Amino acid sequence: MYQSKPLHDKAERLIAEAAAYGSQLVVFPEAFIGGYPRGSTFGVTIGSRSAKGREEFRKYHAAAIDVPGPEVDRLAAMAGKYKVFLVMGVIERAGYTLYCTVLFFDPQGQYLGKHRKLMPTALERVIWGFGDGSTVPVYETPLGKIGALICWENKMPLLRMALYGKGIEIYCAPTADARDVWQASMTHIALEGGCFVLSANQFCRRKDYPPPPDYMFAGVGDEPSPDSVVCAGGSVIISPSGAVLAGPNYEGEALISADLDLGEIVRAKFDFDVVGHYSRPEVLSLTVKDHPQDPVLFASAAKTENSQKS
Amino acid sequence: MYQSKPLHDKAERLIAEAAAYGSQLVVFPEAFIGGYPRGSTFGVTIGSRSAKGREEFRKYHAAAIDVPGPEVDRLAAMAGKYKVFLVMGVIERAGYTLYCTVLFFDPQGQYLGKHRKLMPTALERVIWGFGDGSTVPVYETPLGKIGALICWENKMPLLRMALYGKGIEIYCAPTADARDVWQASMTHIALEGGCFVLSANQFCRRKDYPPPPDYMFAGVGDEPSPDSVVCAGGSVIISPSGAVLAGPNYEGEALISADLDLGEIVRAKFDFDVVGHYSRPEVLSLTVKDHPQDPVLFASAAKTENSQKS
Amino acid sequence: MYQSKPLHDKAERLIAEAAAYGSQLVVFPEAFIGGYPRGSTFGVTIGSRSAKGREEFRKYHAAAIDVPGPEVDRLAAMAGKYKVFLVMGVIERAGYTLYCTVLFFDPQGQYLGKHRKLMPTALERVIWGFGDGSTVPVYETPLGKIGALICWENKMPLLRMALYGKGIEIYCAPTADARDVWQASMTHIALEGGCFVLSANQFCRRKDYPPPPDYMFAGVGDEPSPDSVVCAGGSVIISPSGAVLAGPNYEGEALISADLDLGEIVRAKFDFDVVGHYSRPEVLSLTVKDHPQDPVLFASAAKTENSQKS
Amino acid sequence: MYQSKPLHDKAERLIAEAAAYGSQLVVFPEAFIGGYPRGSTFGVTIGSRSAKGREEFRKYHAAAIDVPGPEVDRLAAMAGKYKVFLVMGVIERAGYTLYCTVLFFDPQGQYLGKHRKLMPTALERVIWGFGDGSTVPVYETPLGKIGALICWENKMPLLRMALYGKGIEIYCAPTADARDVWQASMTHIALEGGCFVLSANQFCRRKDYPPPPDYMFAGVGDEPSPDSVVCAGGSVIISPSGAVLAGPNYEGEALISADLDLGEIVRAKFDFDVVGHYSRPEVLSLTVKDHPQDPVLFASAAKTENSQKS
Amino acid sequence: MYQSKPLHDKAERLIAEAAAYGSQLVVFPEAFIGGYPRGSTFGVTIGSRSAKGREEFRKYHAAAIDVPGPEVDRLAAMAGKYKVFLVMGVIERAGYTLYCTVLFFDPQGQYLGKHRKLMPTALERVIWGFGDGSTVPVYETPLGKIGALICWENKMPLLRMALYGKGIEIYCAPTADARDVWQASMTHIALEGGCFVLSANQFCRRKDYPPPPDYMFAGVGDEPSPDSVVCAGGSVIISPSGAVLAGPNYEGEALISADLDLGEIVRAKFDFDVVGHYSRPEVLSLTVKDHPQDPVLFASAAKTENSQKS
Amino acid sequence: MYQSKPLHDKAERLIAEAAAYGSQLVVFPEAFIGGYPRGSTFGVTIGSRSAKGREEFRKYHAAAIDVPGPEVDRLAAMAGKYKVFLVMGVIERAGYTLYCTVLFFDPQGQYLGKHRKLMPTALERVIWGFGDGSTVPVYETPLGKIGALICWENKMPLLRMALYGKGIEIYCAPTADARDVWQASMTHIALEGGCFVLSANQFCRRKDYPPPPDYMFAGVGDEPSPDSVVCAGGSVIISPSGAVLAGPNYEGEALISADLDLGEIVRAKFDFDVVGHYSRPEVLSLTVKDHPQDPVLFASAAKTENSQKS
């Protein structure tokens, strides 16, 4: 946590390992780079914030990465080196607001783009900003159409539908949720979307975070012991017909992998195609406002963008 | 199947039994009245239909009920007699097209309204018409806000969202799907919608249908033996936090019941309110065209309707 | 069936032959490219689908063509090479849903556009999606105004009226219906619409489909012998006054052709102009919602489309 | 022609005969009472009318009947006496404009209502006015839902659709068209509407009209000989699946009859229900303005009518 | 007749002549372009049409003009060249239905719009369609407010009232009626409307039409001799107080003209203002439904129209 | 003038004379009883009235008749005695406001009802009130349907249309207008309405009014000599085809009469039926508010009226 270098090293190690198994796509958990400050309160209660909390945020802000930026370049290089598609959870710094973001890279070592979490959960709203509709990408690749939603975004039916509308086939779900019911949602999404679901969650113990009093685990009773599992993992890969292909693994840090037969998608969509024969667009239609939403627009910039497009 | 009288008698027996347990709301499976013609093909192949299949449809049409009509009156009377809210799956006859419909009744013996299945699954599209956006009701009752989707409609994210938008609290899911993965979807919906989910499915054996050659089970290999289970049930009740309160029961015909603590809804929505604090309407908005869609509109009827409304 | 290359070759051979007769417009049957899977059930019964049926669908999906796409380019090239207007029935793949579609090409080798079948018949609803009002084109050409409806769409009075409203003069009716009564409908449409009707249907024998057990003819009693005629053709050309100009041919695979005297249209419309002097718009008016109907609309795409139109 | 008394006598004789066969519904041709002035020109050319033509119209006007009125009462009495539903083509006099009208009567001897031809054909537009949307009735009877369109109205797709929208099951088509292609339209309508079609046309010879020079047959070359067939009949009864149940008879004046199995309707609508499962109301919808359209509305009359309705 | 080129040449000659007199507004008779097929029957009798009549219609249809279209452009150019307002009777072709139409042009060479005859007379109903309320224009010009009704439309009190309601000051009445009583109506209208009335009718002899047997004069006894006057003209200009300012001329082809003192309108309206002080709107009110009435409405067209308006 | 007794005597004399000719309907001019105070100013100028004028009005008021009342009874008795329908122009006194009214009587000596002039002309507005829509009657009689409008009301197109809407066949036009152009309007109305028009106007000389200074002829230059014709009559009877059957007589006081062949109406309406085949009610419709319009309504009275009607 808070130190991007070691995490990048760890990322590279894991990517190398996965590539060695023949993986063509590697998915990391939410906030793998930058960290998921589990157990923290950042000193906030209703009506007050503390100086200590503010300082914690300063540090968290410092550990986040600019997109684009040198850390992004390094991740791109890894993808290129190991010839994998890479889906990586990061904490993105945009000025003084942070975003929980997923970055996409291709085996040619190119940074493809990003998805910013649209709606953080509960206390996350204090440390992360809210994304907009302009960063909900799905990339057409030789492996299939790849996209990602982060953690409880996956519970948002309209947001999933936006991805289905873009034809997603390989649905990545970096998360921080290790509960059993998460598995039900992953299975449901595979069936609903007629797509492969790849959910990645961290397995961490208390000792993976800085020790108290530097870093306090609040709200969970006593401070956990260093070996306590504070996030049990549960990464899983599910087929479009709801079959669990790998995982869920709650035992420890692990790589899970599966061979994906894309023919399964068409077989499943024969039954149910959420944006095709099983939709009722004349009754139900979703509008996705996918333009960037900025508090300040500079007319000259807008003009330039438009003329570039035409 | 095809004989509404015995089914009404059975319905009354089951309602009486449930009411004796103190049930205030009783949910029946899809197509309980009129029947779910499992295993039938109605003689259709691509490019042809058979005389026998047409005659099967004629009988199925004859067994369906008009809404409103005498069978609806009888069901209303049952609800009133046993003082329960009643959610009943029926086959509705509207001219010469049938609809897979759910009817709602209140403990005062009033027929409240109906939901017509919006999109039938696979071969169902040959025997049932498609509903429109005008029959997706949610009723405010002393027990909470009650609505229903039928079988794989529950896999339609935009349709569920329409119910969430109407504030559904007690989400009924009459179905004909007895697969394991159905349970995942039920759990997911409870979490996604922050509502209680009550799914009802029939338990039937081959012998509950007419014997061959009158009624043929096609497409499942050999004709099943009379005692074969052709639909294994799996009715279930799930809380807004994903806890299974009753069922799923796959053992045989059974009533399952649970006490619903409505406080659970607000506790769950604290985490995730799909149409409230966890929505992003400025990015994602669903339009529900909920006017009746008729191929022929008579201006005078429209006028009459309007004057009735005022 | 299921192999687009040979069908394209056959298409080219037939176009060449027709062009050699001096034909300026060549109309092919429904689903000529992609195939009409006559006699198949795709393993569906009410309440179940089979793995074999899903695999059949996967193959059928693979044999379908993208629009636009390389097969469309090839068809366009044929139209240009032989300098004919070409109306071709294809199976269109749009993501994981298939559509029964007719493509239009001009003698300059341009792809003009398409019509997607609005409402499939019976079991077709399991393999094909439903078109919307945005693809019901009529093209103004030097030969007259050309459009097409597919098979039983031609029985939909409001849909025919939409074409009449667009001024159709050369009404193409690719079909898979070889019954006698089809002829009555074709004659009626010519009279009703005051237009030439060109109906094209395939003549096929059992052996034109893969042999059993790969491909099973269900629902027609015993498996037909290889030489059995499974679709008898019956292509026909009818004048606006109901005179049969060529066909119906039920004897075997054949090209039929006729010289069309466009003066016949005005002579016929003198008697009856369904959208002109014989209409009563102040009493009866049809509204055609001809916007695309999509389950998910991306605001940025809409913007781009709009600016292209203006 | 022009003498209603003998025509009423003939009507009674024919009804008696039909009733003796067990007929429960008797359909007469267009303009049976009042007469169809075949071959007349009423002295009109573009830009002129003749005194002789005006006098012919005066006589034709005198032979027409008021609705309601004594002739209507007599027809009602016949229906009651022979216990049949009666569908009778008449010439209706409304002030100084005539309408080609069909009257409906029930076996209890009640006049049910009327349909006024909405759009006369060609020269008919000089002698008959145009009906409006308020007289396009379909009556629910123990025999099924009965309605009628007259002659070439049957070629109007939107008008037929209005009847389909009212659920017509027994579609009567009184006509004056004896051409072969009429049969194609009748077959098409039976299939399109999924209804029984009963078309009645007169068989008449030249001598059934007054002799020249009183009554001149113009426009058909030489004056026909007295025995010339000037309208060959062709009455026909067709089932919802397009099977011809009786007729067409072109031999001479005759009654044709058939037993109608209403189950055929549901068997046919299984394949195609034009206002049900095979409609696409969200794309195509017909509006029928079915209010009376009067050039002068008196507020007091409107008030009276309204209070009668409520 | 049937040859638009010579008629355009003649039109230009007459406009030039009128402009040389200083005319600022030139009014032509009904159907000047396209022709008024006086004496024709188009082969229709009650119940039949002839092949010859249909062919006559085909030729008549071919001679009609599209609006807008090249002939309209040519007329506009004439108005611009001679700097006159031009009111021209034409036969308009809209698909396969013809309309008797009046076109309006301004001295800047602009086409202003059109009026379609609302209700043709007698046999005209066989060759011309019926206009609707959307083309009853009155144009505000430096000369006054100009509008037109055609022939017997001028006998329709409600239609005249619609023009009065639009403030018509220069009321043009292109006609084909040469009877004496036409003059009475023209005088009455000038008084009733408080407007100038300019009625234009053709003077033609039999020889101005093609000779028999190509073109037959039916219904007027013997075929007229070539020099017979078949339409005697009678063009007239009347002031708002009923004074005849020019004509009626029944002698031969002629231009008539008059200086119009617009002050006469106010002097006349002092006595009687049909839509002002002499109306009783609380007792008598006319509703003009002036929206286009189309049998088929395309939603996208409506949208486009709306956006064009804004 | 101002003395009803002599006028009643004169009326009786004229009725007797007409009856002796065999007349069945006798029409008198406007204000025959009560008088038309031609040439009077009643002392009004803009901004002032004189005491003398007020006294003139007092006398005029005294000479008017109550309806019903003794003078009405006397007129009814005359109609009965001479067995004629009688249409009589009177000045009606209703409290302190006078109305220019026409009374209708039948040959049985019954008073049928009245028409009050809806809109007086110019200075008439100072001495007469304005009628409402409740007194625009048309009476069905053995002679045909009879109604009347007074003087320039006949120039009101919507008011005439109200009569046409009631089916008027014998259109009476009592007037005080002796100008030539009046004849044009009468001819036009006969043609427009397809009805007989009977216009009655007084022939009077100066000496028929009281001598100056009691009664002054203002505004016409010098006081006319006693023998000056101050109203030249011009009564006229016109057929539905515009043929003048009697009159106009400008020579002196006279009875004019004609035999009316009602067959002429149907012959004329064959060409043009203003409320039938030649109307376009879907475009143009007149609403006639024909309820009494009273400044003060007493609820109890309204209740009584309603209960009488039902």
Side-chain angles (χ1 to χ4, degrees), chain F residues 5 12 45 47 52 65 71 105 134 138 170 172 174 217 260:
Chain F
K5 180 62 170 57
E12 178 152 10
T45 67
K52 182 167 185 299
I65 67 173
E71 290 87 351
F105 302 91
S134 70
V138 168
I170 299 179
C172 302
F217 261 74
L260 309 186

Side-chain angles (χ1 to χ4, degrees), chain A residues 79-203:
Chain A
K81 178 173 177 190
Y82 297 102
K83 300 201 186 320
V84 295
F85 283 95
L86 175 61
V87 177
M88 174 61 74
V90 306
I91 301 303
E92 176 191 3
R93 179 175 55 224
Y96 289 94
T97 287
L98 304 180
Y99 294 94
C100 181
T101 294
V102 162
L103 305 179
F104 298 86
F105 302 92
D106 73 13
Q108 286 73 45
Q110 300 297 317
Y111 163 60
L112 296 174
K114 70 183 174 190
H115 165 60
R116 277 184 182 169
K117 196 179 202 176
L118 211 59
M119 176 48 81
T121 300
L123 199 60
E124 294 171 3
R125 294 175 195 170
V126 176
I127 55 170
W128 297 337
F130 307 158
D132 64 28
S134 71
T135 55
V136 188
V138 168
Y139 298 101
E140 184 146 19
T141 79
L143 305 184
K145 294 183 183 164
I146 300 175
L149 296 185
I150 307 169
C151 205
W152 280 19
E153 284 190 322
N154 289 290
K155 294 172 74 171
M156 298 172 74
L158 299 187
L159 186 52
R160 293 196 308 272
M161 191 68 180
L163 287 190
Y164 304 152
K166 292 186 171 184
I168 194 166
E169 294 168 325
I170 299 179
Y171 182 116
C172 303
T175 188
D177 186 341
R179 296 173 307 148
D180 280 354
V181 290
W182 180 258
Q183 299 299 325
S185 285
M186 292 303 101
T187 297
H188 173 83
I189 291 169
L191 291 162
E192 178 184 83
C195 50
F196 289 95
V197 171
L198 291 72
S199 178
N201 190 17
Q202 283 189 297
F203 182 92

